[in-house]
Amino acid sequence: MSLDRASLKSAALAQLCAIAPEVDPQEIVSARPLRSQVDLDSMDWLHFLVGLNERLGVEIPESDYARLVTLDNLLDYLQEKLA
Amino acid sequence: MIPFELPSLGADMEDGTLLEWLIKPGDTVHRAQVVAIVDTSKAAVEVEIWQDGVVEALLVMPGEKVPVGTVLATLRELSQAPAPEAKATPQGPTAARAEVPGVSGQPAVPTPAAQPAGSDEPAQPAEPAETAQPALPAPAPALPPATTSSATPAARPTASALAQARHPVSPAARKRAHELDVDPERIAGTGPHGSVTVADVETAARCRSTEATRRPVPVPAPASDAATAAGPHPLPPAAALARERQKAMRKAIAAAMTRSKREIPHYYLAEQIPMGVALDWLQQVNAGRPIAERILPAALLLKMVALSLRRTPELNGLYRDGEFIPSEAVHAGVAISLRGGGLVAPALHDVATKPLGRLMSELSDLVRRARAGSLRSSEMTDPTLTVTNLGEQGVASVHGVIYPPQVALVGFGRIAQTAWAQNGWLCALPVVTASLAADHRVSDGHRGALFLAELRDRLQQPQALAESLGGAENPQSPQSPA
């Protein structure tokens, strides 16, 4: 499966809104750290990644978490995994 | 006759608003079945019943706000197989509470007036299943056949199956749907098991306001994409309601915490605990597990707290009427901050005896439901101590306020890389500050210190949990408050 960046972004934002319904996706700055912008604790973060895993079928090992700081990082990572 | 009263869903609850009945006169109900949704200032709570019986009359109608202890409904014992425990129920309170507002004037015998008006949306799952097909292609929730009628006692479903059959719509979502005049049965759910969430309801309301309602979404899978795609149509009542809710919650928290500070002579202890071994072990464990079964440090800390309490039972239990009653089981109240402010501390049951994997999946489920405003009454009433994990927000340590009638609160700060002297060497280690706030009426600092030392030692030997690690399967089981 290969998805363009825009579809990946909309999938990621939809998943984010499912966990943090008060978030306005348009206000998220994709080059800034995601978790602090949206106030995600470790449980929220895990639910977010589990949701992405269900939507996209991407397995994200714990050792890769450190790479996923900003939304841009995440999209790069997902594109790489789905390529 | 058995009275079913509004239970106290926590020390800070004085009254509640009945949102919905999930039963009707003539229904057979079973122990641990969710029978009503009640709005406290903190959440819409699924209220369980703890007796078997047949519903005789519903005495309080949806929308009514009544004090704790009000008789909400009356049951009669199952005639074919009377439950012995139901017989032992004291009959006294019924008469004593007949004067309670909201019940006064209602005779205790069933009357047509005491039954829900038939014009309301059907609350029974059997009807929507036949008539109201969801307009959106929702992922089909795995509903067991809705055989809730007493006509088929042979195929009696378990209480948890019943509870699940009732919950394709979260209580909070049902409440919101009512406010926005949306039919929740016609909305595609994006929550756990395809359940309809508050966000789904609000999205549906927005879609309707742009006249896009009832139009099937072309792509079935990303139903919740609609939440993002929908424009920012304002829903003014929601903001006002949220503010009201916030005010009520602040008031409830203030009442409980004031009581705590007035009645409980707190003492505080803290201990720095190296977490290197525990985190390494957890990483190894997680490497072999699919993402949905990964275990967070929070679950490990909860488990270790529960095991450590075995040495100091005077920290685990309830203080009532001038007397401490220790609890055999550890039901940890997990402090969960809510988005938009406030917090709840519902119980994670039997933490000491459950395998870690199962504990993690239950914790995950509990956090999800707490934030969706969808908790069960047993979870609100029976924590035996509280654990708070404020480190997520970046603080070094927390000095907690005990939640009465509990007698202790364990707090964890941030797990941070720290300069640590060990075996004559200085090294950098992840370290967490664990704290204990405890009740001097029941224990002393010396015993509290023993507990923290035990906790520290156990966290250096996480592999002791390996044999009881367990999978994530089978996360649900009904709990009795007894």
Side-chain angles (χ1 to χ4, degrees):
Chain A
M1 177 171 62
S2 174
L3 283 169
D4 61 79
R5 201 172 172 91
S7 326
L8 285 177
K9 185 171 177 176
S10 98
L13 288 177
Q15 187 55 41
L16 204 57
C17 288
I19 287 154
E22 78 284 3
V23 167
D24 180 352
Q26 291 179 339
E27 288 189 357
I28 290 174
V29 182
S30 55
R32 282 220 208 118
L34 186 60
R35 282 177 67 172
S36 57
Q37 281 185 78
V38 193
D39 185 17
L40 297 179
D41 64 18
S42 58
M43 185 65 83
D44 293 328
W45 180 247
L46 182 63
H47 286 161
F48 175 61
L49 296 182
V50 168
L52 282 181
N53 171 257
E54 281 167 5
R55 275 167 196 261
L56 304 169
V58 178
E59 191 64 48
I60 306 173
E62 215 177 28
S63 50
D64 286 349
Y65 287 7
R67 289 175 58 188
L68 312 175
V69 178
T70 67
L71 183 58
D72 280 339
N73 293 157
L74 177 70
L75 297 179
D76 289 343
Y77 180 86
L78 292 175
Q79 276 192 307
E80 189 186 307
K81 288 283 240 184
L82 290 167
Chain B
M1 180 151 45
I2 309 164
F4 170 58
E5 298 170 2
L6 177 62
S8 171
L9 306 172
D12 49 7
M13 174 172 164
E14 287 170 2
D15 47 36
T17 304
L18 181 78
L19 292 181
E20 187 183 343
W21 280 113
L22 302 176
I23 51 172
K24 59 182 186 314
D27 281 359
T28 302
V29 295
H30 298 291
R31 189 176 160 77
Q33 180 177 342
V34 175
V35 296
I37 313 282
V38 169
D39 187 32
T40 71
S41 59
K42 290 193 165 187
V45 178
E46 300 174 348
V47 178
E48 297 136 309
I49 200 161
W50 298 106
Q51 279 136 338
D52 294 342
V54 177
V55 180
E56 207 160 64
L58 305 177
L59 301 178
V60 172
M61 291 299 103
E64 277 187 64
K65 186 175 188 173
V66 294
V68 167
T70 302
V71 178
L72 300 176
T74 53
L75 310 179
R76 66 172 181 274
E77 288 167 32
L78 288 172
S79 49
Q80 62 271 48
E85 59 209 295
K87 270 186 179 159
T89 305
Q91 305 284 312
T94 323
R97 294 221 165 87
E99 302 301 319
V100 168
V103 190
S104 57
Q106 294 278 13
V109 290
T111 66
Q115 296 183 8
S119 61
D120 281 358
E121 57 191 338
Q124 298 305 313
E127 295 168 46
E130 289 159 20
T131 57
Q133 287 299 331
L136 304 179
L143 296 183
T147 51
T148 54
S149 101
S150 53
T152 54
R156 174 183 151 180
T158 65
S160 65
L162 269 174
Q164 278 176 3
R166 302 278 192 188
H167 302 122
V169 184
S170 84
R174 207 172 274 284
K175 177 167 176 255
R176 190 76 184 116
H178 191 68
E179 289 161 7
L180 295 173
D181 196 25
V182 175
D183 181 358
E185 310 290 351
R186 301 182 67 96
I187 300 173
T190 63
H193 309 297
S195 61
V196 176
T197 65
V198 172
D200 297 332
V201 170
E202 293 185 341
T203 302
R206 281 194 208 107
C207 289
R208 184 186 52 189
S209 67
T210 55
E211 281 163 307
T213 195
R214 307 265 144 84
R215 188 166 49 85
V217 173
V219 197
S224 69
D225 283 0
T228 355
H233 291 278
L235 297 167
L241 281 165
R243 259 200 309 280
E244 276 309 301
R245 201 174 184 78
Q246 271 299 309
K247 260 164 73 178
M249 184 184 287
R250 282 264 62 92
K251 210 173 132 187
I253 292 171
M257 295 299 98
T258 305
R259 180 185 154 196
S260 171
K261 285 283 185 172
R262 191 175 56 231
E263 293 178 4
I264 303 178
H266 287 64
Y267 67 87
Y268 304 95
L269 307 173
E271 170 74 355
Q272 286 203 300
I273 300 180
M275 288 291 289
V277 180
L279 293 183
D280 285 350
W281 178 78
L282 214 46
Q283 201 170 22
Q284 275 174 29
V285 167
N286 284 340
R289 296 168 83 91
I291 186 163
E293 291 182 21
R294 276 179 210 157
I295 296 164
L296 291 173
L300 179 66
L301 292 173
L302 275 166
K303 178 75 183 175
M304 291 305 196
V305 165
L307 292 175
S308 303
L309 284 167
R310 285 181 178 160
R311 252 185 101 186
T312 45
E314 62 267 53
L315 298 175
N316 183 53
L318 304 178
Y319 190 90
R320 280 199 168 122
D321 304 323
E323 194 185 356
F324 174 67
I325 302 133
S327 168
E328 184 84 14
V330 179
H331 303 316
V334 184
I336 299 170
S337 60
L338 302 178
R339 298 197 153 271
L343 87 163
V344 289
L348 198 59
H349 292 117
D350 300 307
V351 179
T353 51
K354 276 178 190 157
L356 188 58
R358 177 158 165 206
L359 211 53
M360 176 62 204
S361 66
E362 291 192 7
L363 177 65
S364 169
D365 179 57
L366 193 67
V367 171
R368 223 190 269 263
R369 285 189 294 111
R371 294 203 168 132
S374 166
L375 293 166
R376 298 190 194 114
S377 53
S378 58
E379 293 165 341
M380 302 295 282
T381 47
D382 65 6
T384 54
L385 98 165
T386 298
V387 178
T388 183
N389 211 324
L390 265 187
E392 294 272 357
Q393 277 70 40
V395 296
S397 65
V398 47
H399 305 279
V401 183
I402 299 166
Y403 192 83
Q406 298 162 36
V407 298
L409 179 146
V410 178
F412 291 100
R414 176 178 71 245
I415 303 176
Q417 287 292 323
T418 306
W420 191 261
Q422 194 168 267
N423 306 326
W425 291 91
L426 192 60
C427 53
L429 277 184
V431 172
V432 71
T433 301
S435 68
L436 171 74
D439 187 337
H440 244 317
R441 295 174 299 183
V442 183
S443 65
D444 298 308
H446 175 70
R447 297 292 293 168
L450 272 182
F451 163 75
L452 285 179
E454 173 83 12
L455 178 62
R456 180 196 60 216
D457 293 347
R458 281 186 181 270
L459 279 164
Q460 309 318 307
Q461 295 151 22
Q463 62 282 2
L465 294 179
E467 56 200 54
S468 71
L469 199 54
E473 65 279 354
N474 230 350
Q476 302 285 339
S477 82
Q479 293 294 332
S480 104

